[in-house]
């Protein structure tokens, strides 16, 4: 084995035998080297990872896996003069294959070896001989983001190509992914995985951390460079190069994955003290023409895919609107502190679509919301696809908008009703939607300003009421829409915005009404 490693290090280009071992080239490592590995992988038959889990870990319940805790005092770089430290996730349950994690120091690559002493196994009875054969399922990035004397977990890479990030005062919520393949297609989704990482050891003065990752799956491979900048709003600058092994039906770039169970526009069907349970409340798109589109999320009764076709997007993201504790009333999960994730493309992304996927879910344990960019022009197998973007993790949505913008605060849904002569309200078989708009562009207006609503409803809906009134509590305006659905088996697509004269003042509200929900 030693002689084989030595011979691999002597090669200018790493061959398939060296790739299988994950051996780093002797001249150091950067994005181009990882991209070369990805290119070579794409030209070879896919080799599926093999689980090394013994039965105890493979059949482990979630509560048992939660007992395995990383020892903070065993953090990697604990003795180094750097603001960043590394923690690790242990294998178990569906985290069945180890991920190779390397450190890059002055261009030299060193594998960070697995050490069971880094973990507290709680009440689990673990055979030391068995544990020694396991590995890391992923890693955590620690950084003093809230207090100078406390290392907080600011990023977590665990499972397939998933990762989660937080900024100051935030708690983990939605996830990002490296790549999404064939999401919501009948053929089934393919989940590429980050099979190996290289993490540059930061210098004492550094406030950023550079991470390289090699992605692999049956139909794709790729190289990623992710530069993490922790802060009030943490951001990641991501550069990627993908290679396809074969045809892909739906190629999802910069994917975000979240959870929506119920909320303002879709109240809980059972009595629940929580008014809302969701990691994100809507999809926001900033298109190439400068328009902003807001689509409230839903937990549908059947799988729903909504494409928004555009050219050269300026941004899109899954946002959490509603930042008061009273919006959620949950002391344990603190949905009010969960970040929004905003994708800011770097460079021209061309023609394509932002795809929103909504999947039925009976509870909050499922990530049932996915959003990503699908390019119109698909690369041929073996042809590189380069793209870059900045990923913002924020609780301050106003910073994403122009200085004098206005947006949707909430969408409320109820049964439609009419007030009778005796003042009793009676349902009339329609649906009532209340859309509240707020923001600096509206706050600057006098309450008697003559505003109008632009409303579009497709042919499956009959609009019975369209009224607009000033909303003094938010210094904005409330739009009231009441409509009947003609065919309850089909949804109604709706759009609305507020205008003054011929000038639009607000983002565009986009909604899909399902009569059965």
């Amino acid at each position: 084995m030693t002689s084989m490693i030595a011979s691999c290090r002597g090669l200018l280009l790493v061959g398939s035998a060296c790739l299988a071992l994950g051996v780093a080239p002797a001249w150091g490592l950067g994005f181009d080297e990882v991209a070369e590995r990805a290119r070579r992988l794409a030209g070879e038959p896919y080799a599926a990872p093999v689980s090394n889990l013994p039965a105890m870990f493979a059949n482990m319940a979630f509560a048992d896996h939660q007992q395995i805790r990383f020892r903070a005092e065993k953090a990697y770089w604990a003795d180094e003069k750097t603001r960043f430290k590394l923690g690790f996730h242990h294998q178990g349950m569906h985290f069945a294959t180890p991920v190779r994690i390397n450190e890059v120091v002055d261009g030299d690559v060193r594998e960070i070896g697995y050490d069971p002493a880094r973990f507290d196994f709680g009440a689990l009875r673990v055979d030391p001989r068995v544990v020694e054969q396991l590995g890391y399922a992923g890693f955590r990035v620690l950084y003093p983001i809230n207090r100078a004397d406390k290392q907080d977990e600011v990023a977590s890479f665990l499972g397939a190509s998933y990762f989660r990030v937080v900024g100051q005062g935030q708690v983990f919520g939605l996830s990002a992914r490296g790549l999404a393949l064939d999401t919501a297609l009948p053929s089934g989704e393919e989940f590429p995985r980050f099979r190996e990482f290289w993490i540059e050891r930061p210098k004492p003065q550094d406030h950023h951390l550079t991470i390289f990752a090699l992605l692999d799956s049956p139909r794709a491979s790729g190289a990623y460079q992710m530069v993490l900048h922790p802060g009030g709003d943490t951001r990641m600058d991501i550069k990627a190069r993908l290679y396809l092994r074969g045809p892909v039906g739906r190629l999802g770039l910069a994917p975000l994955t979240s959870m929506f169970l119920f909320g303002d526009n879709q109240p809980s069907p059972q009595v629940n003290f929580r008014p809302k349970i969701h990691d994100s409340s809507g999809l926001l798109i900033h298109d190439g023409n400068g328009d902003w589109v807001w689509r409230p999320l839903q937990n549908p009764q059947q799988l729903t895919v909504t494409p928004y076709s555009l050219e050269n997007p300026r941004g899109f993201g899954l946002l959490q609107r509603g930042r008061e504790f009273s919006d959620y009333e949950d002391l344990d999960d603190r949905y009010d502190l969960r970040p929004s994730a905003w994708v800011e493309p770097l460079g021209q992304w061309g023609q394509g679509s932002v795809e929103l996927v909504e999947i039925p879910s009976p509870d909050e344990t499922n990530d049932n919301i996915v959003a990503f960019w699908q390019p119109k022009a698909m690369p041929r197998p073996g042809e590189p696809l380069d793209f870059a973007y900045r990923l913002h993790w924020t609780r301050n949505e106003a910073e994403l908008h122009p200085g004098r913008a206005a947006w949707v605060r909430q969408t409320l849904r109820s049964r439609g009703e009419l007030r009778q002569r005796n003042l009793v309200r009676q349902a009339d078989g329609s649906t009532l939607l209340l859309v509240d708009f707020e923001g600096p562009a509206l706050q600057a207006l006098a309450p008697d300003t003559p505003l109008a609503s632009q409303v579009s409803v497709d042919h499956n809906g009959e609009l019975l009421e369209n009224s607009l009134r000033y909303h003094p509590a938010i210094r904005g305006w409330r739009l009231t829409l009441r409509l009947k659905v003609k065919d309850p088996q089909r949804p109604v697509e709706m759009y609305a915005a507020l205008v003054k004269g011929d000038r639009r003042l607000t983002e565009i509200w986009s909604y899909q009404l399902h009569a059965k929900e």
Side-chain angles (χ1 to χ4, degrees):
M1 179 66 74
T2 302
S3 61
M4 184 176 181
I5 293 175
S7 64
C8 285
R9 284 178 175 163
L11 295 176
L12 180 60
L13 294 177
V14 181
S16 59
C18 299
L19 271 171
L21 293 171
V23 177
W27 65 88
L29 185 133
F31 178 77
D32 290 338
E33 285 71 36
V34 180
E36 174 62 17
R37 292 187 176 208
R39 186 188 70 80
R40 287 181 169 267
L41 267 182
E44 300 172 355
Y46 174 69
V50 178
S51 173
N52 64 337
L53 288 182
M56 173 186 176
F57 284 85
N59 301 324
M60 185 173 284
F62 178 78
D64 290 334
H65 192 257
Q66 289 293 96
Q67 288 193 57
I68 307 176
R69 298 187 177 276
F70 180 76
R71 298 180 185 272
E73 69 275 12
K74 296 288 186 177
Y76 202 71
W77 297 331
D79 298 325
E80 300 293 334
K81 293 181 178 180
T82 169
R83 294 178 176 86
F84 292 90
K85 314 296 176 190
L86 297 180
F88 303 96
H89 295 285
H90 202 280
Q91 282 187 265
M93 300 191 306
H94 47 272
F95 305 115
T97 56
V99 174
R100 189 180 180 112
I101 303 171
N102 306 285
E103 175 188 21
V104 182
V105 183
D106 297 327
D108 293 329
V109 176
R110 311 169 186 172
E111 181 180 2
I112 302 176
Y114 167 75
D115 182 359
R118 297 186 192 277
F119 298 93
D120 177 355
F121 291 89
L124 300 176
R125 294 187 176 182
V126 176
D127 185 342
R129 294 170 298 177
V130 171
V131 175
E132 288 177 356
Q133 306 304 314
L134 298 180
Y136 299 128
F139 68 95
R140 321 163 192 262
V141 178
L142 310 176
Y143 185 88
I145 197 169
N146 293 302
R147 286 183 4 213
D149 61 345
K150 183 179 182 297
Q151 293 286 332
D152 296 298
E153 186 174 344
V154 297
S156 175
F157 291 77
L158 177 65
S161 65
Y162 286 83
F163 56 94
R164 299 193 297 172
V165 178
V166 292
Q168 188 177 47
Q170 301 171 13
V171 301
F172 284 122
L174 79 168
S175 302
R177 283 193 266 170
L179 185 66
L181 294 180
D182 288 356
T183 305
L185 289 184
S187 57
E189 183 168 2
E190 179 174 308
F191 291 89
R193 65 186 289 265
F194 287 138
R195 55 180 281 177
E196 187 166 3
F197 292 95
W198 296 263
I199 309 171
E200 289 188 350
R201 182 193 292 181
K203 296 178 173 56
Q205 69 274 20
D206 284 349
H207 292 272
H208 68 275
L209 183 70
T210 301
I211 301 164
F212 301 99
L214 179 64
L215 178 138
D216 195 21
S217 79
R219 285 179 296 160
S221 65
Y224 288 74
Q225 175 182 295
M226 296 169 276
V227 184
L228 178 70
H229 299 265
D233 287 344
T234 294
R235 80 173 196 270
M236 296 182 74
D237 294 328
I238 299 176
K239 178 169 67 172
R241 183 173 301 159
L242 295 178
Y243 296 92
L244 298 183
R245 283 189 170 95
V248 171
R250 186 171 283 155
L251 180 63
L253 307 184
L256 302 173
T257 300
S258 191
M259 178 275 294
F260 181 95
L261 188 63
F262 57 80
D264 288 332
N265 60 305
Q266 191 177 12
S268 173
Q270 290 86 35
V271 175
N272 197 308
F273 73 87
R274 305 169 187 85
K276 312 174 191 177
I277 292 183
H278 51 65
D279 288 336
S280 306
S281 57
L283 168 69
L284 181 66
I285 300 171
H286 190 194
D287 70 17
N289 297 321
D291 288 330
W292 296 79
V293 179
W294 171 253
R295 163 66 185 271
L297 298 178
Q298 299 183 71
N299 182 6
Q301 290 189 352
Q302 60 185 12
L303 176 67
T304 302
V305 180
T306 307
Y308 292 86
S309 298
L310 60 146
E311 185 173 359
N312 292 324
R314 301 185 188 184
F316 69 92
L318 292 175
L319 273 56
Q320 184 76 307
R321 285 185 174 171
R323 288 296 175 186
E324 299 297 326
F325 176 77
S326 58
D327 290 326
Y328 307 93
E329 295 291 352
D330 196 319
L331 283 172
D332 296 315
D333 291 323
R334 296 308 303 269
Y335 294 104
D336 56 309
L337 300 181
R338 301 195 177 199
S340 300
W342 179 252
V343 175
E344 176 191 352
L346 301 177
Q348 302 292 301
W349 280 19
Q351 292 184 329
S353 58
V354 174
E355 305 268 334
L356 174 64
V357 178
E358 297 167 302
I359 306 168
S361 179
D363 55 60
E364 66 268 34
T365 63
N366 300 309
D367 284 339
N368 63 325
I369 304 295
V370 187
F372 51 80
W373 171 256
Q374 174 163 303
K376 183 177 181 179
M378 301 281 278
R380 295 186 298 271
E383 179 182 70
L385 172 62
D386 287 89
F387 61 99
Y389 58 100
R390 180 164 291 154
L391 189 52
H392 303 262
W393 303 82
T394 178
R395 290 174 57 208
N396 186 7
E397 185 191 338
E399 288 296 317
L400 302 177
H401 293 275
R404 303 197 62 76
W407 50 85
V408 175
R409 175 188 177 95
Q410 63 180 356
T411 301
L412 302 173
R413 176 177 171 172
S414 181
R415 69 175 189 173
E417 53 193 15
L418 292 174
R419 182 176 294 182
Q420 307 302 303
R421 294 180 63 185
N422 60 2
L423 302 183
V424 175
R425 298 180 184 272
Q426 182 176 354
D428 66 350
S430 67
T431 298
L432 179 68
L433 295 169
L434 304 176
V435 188
D436 289 342
F437 292 87
E438 68 174 359
L442 298 179
Q443 291 177 1
L445 302 178
D448 59 352
T449 301
L451 298 187
S453 61
Q454 287 183 338
V455 179
S456 172
V457 178
D458 74 16
H459 61 273
N460 193 41
E462 179 186 358
L463 190 61
L464 304 177
E465 181 180 350
N466 171 10
S467 61
L468 186 65
R469 63 190 295 190
Y470 181 68
H471 192 327
I474 62 172
R475 293 172 61 198
W477 265 259
R478 169 167 287 184
L479 174 63
T480 299
L481 302 174
R482 188 167 57 87
L483 70 157
K484 284 190 176 181
V485 179
K486 298 176 182 178
D487 180 359
Q489 303 301 319
R490 297 175 51 251
V492 178
E493 292 286 349
M494 310 173 62
Y495 296 89
L498 304 190
V499 297
K500 181 183 179 189
D502 59 357
R503 184 167 66 95
R504 186 189 303 140
L505 297 180
T506 68
E507 66 186 12
I508 300 170
W509 173 79
S510 169
Y511 196 75
Q512 190 175 80
L513 175 63
H514 299 265
K516 290 186 176 182
E517 296 171 2

